[in-house]
Amino acid sequence: MSKEQFDAAIGVVPVSTVDVEAVLDRERRRARVAIPWMTAGAGVAAVAVGAAFVFAPGDPVLVPGSAPSAPVSPSPDPCAVSPYPPQTGAPIPEKADVAANRLSGVLTAAVQQRVAAGTKLQPHAQGEYPKGTQHGPLGFYHVFSAQVAYEGSCSGGEDYFMAAATTAGPAGKGNVWAIVTRLGGNATPATECGKPPVDTQQSCGRKTGPHGETIVEETLSSPGYATANRTNVTKPDGTGVMVEAQNVADDAKQRHPDGPDMPAPPLSLAQLTDIALDAGLTLYP
């Protein structure tokens, strides 16, 4: 059979419709949200480009005395049982862009009131979303992706608002980031103190806020890395808020052999909790 006959027999191989870069970017962001503190070397599983299937003409060849193989059952849908349960909060009353703009103003004002005098807010790498679109410091953007079955796993399923900024002040550079979300999704804040990663020091406490909020405050540090202060707040109205401050300009999960960029994060745990409890940081105004 000539190449032309072979090509005619199998037809044109369909072009993959999977945006591999988008899948990788989504999984990196998911890791950042689900496990904000990651040790060096922990990476995102590689996603391979979908393979082309080649069908040759002719019936299956049977070995004498052997029985025909049983039909292969279709693979179960990996998204049928999602690893991330659906959000339980009611739909938000605002359009996503309206909510993002409102939340940006609230967070920016709250942070500026509490950082050291002379501190400037600058864009941060986490403020780039989607890829190629850079948002301003502490400018919220809506992260949303439908669940997609790919390579035997379920990708996507995000639905939350995120903002980040690098802080530049008298003591050096740090960063602040925040997530505001409906409860129940993959970005839902912690309601209990979890076990810290290996070789990481943790202080953590749980308390109740003035209006029945569940508050989990923790500090994480590790030799060769940075220090992170983080507050998780679960609000009775169905809003979850996570606010974190780190004493490096980029990301605390990366190694910093020369030490952090400033002695301590630009915001204390108490300040982060005050910010997270701000009545304006809600999806149900």
Side-chain angles (χ1 to χ4, degrees), residues 94 96-114 121 136-141 161-164 178 180 275 278-282:
E94 300 171 309
D97 58 343
V98 174
N101 288 335
R102 176 180 57 80
L103 293 170
S104 299
V106 173
L107 179 63
T108 300
V111 170
Q112 287 179 331
Q113 290 172 10
R114 292 170 174 84
L121 302 178
L138 298 185
F140 275 98
Y141 51 87
F161 294 85
M162 186 170 184
V180 180
I275 292 171
D278 191 306
L281 282 184
T282 177

Side-chain angles (χ1 to χ4, degrees), residues 5-14 53 55:
Q5 290 173 317
F6 185 73
D7 289 343
I10 67 173
V12 178
V13 178
F53 293 93
F55 298 93

Side-chain angles (χ1 to χ4, degrees), residues 88-231:
T88 56
I92 67 175
E94 300 171 309
K95 290 184 177 180
D97 58 343
V98 174
N101 288 335
R102 176 180 57 80
L103 293 170
S104 299
V106 173
L107 179 63
T108 300
V111 170
Q112 287 179 331
Q113 290 172 10
R114 292 170 174 84
V115 291
T119 298
K120 295 182 179 180
L121 302 178
Q122 302 173 343
H124 190 276
Q126 284 293 331
E128 183 183 358
Y129 184 84
K131 190 172 183 179
T133 301
Q134 179 68 53
H135 298 269
L138 298 185
F140 275 98
Y141 51 87
H142 185 213
V143 178
F144 177 85
S145 64
Q147 291 186 343
V148 178
Y150 182 63
E151 294 290 327
S153 63
C154 186
S155 176
E158 299 94 339
D159 189 357
Y160 56 88
F161 294 85
M162 186 170 184
T166 293
T167 62
K173 287 191 172 183
N175 73 67
V176 178
W177 64 269
I179 289 175
V180 180
T181 183
R182 292 161 57 206
L183 299 179
N186 68 312
T188 294
T191 56
E192 300 289 345
C193 292
K195 185 178 179 180
V198 178
D199 298 327
T200 301
Q201 289 76 50
Q202 176 198 50
S203 63
C204 184
R206 181 182 186 275
K207 62 184 181 182
T208 300
H211 302 291
E213 303 93 343
T214 297
I215 302 169
V216 175
E217 299 174 324
E218 63 179 327
T219 295
L220 294 164
S221 61
S222 182
Y225 292 87
T227 297
N229 291 333
R230 182 191 310 149
T231 294

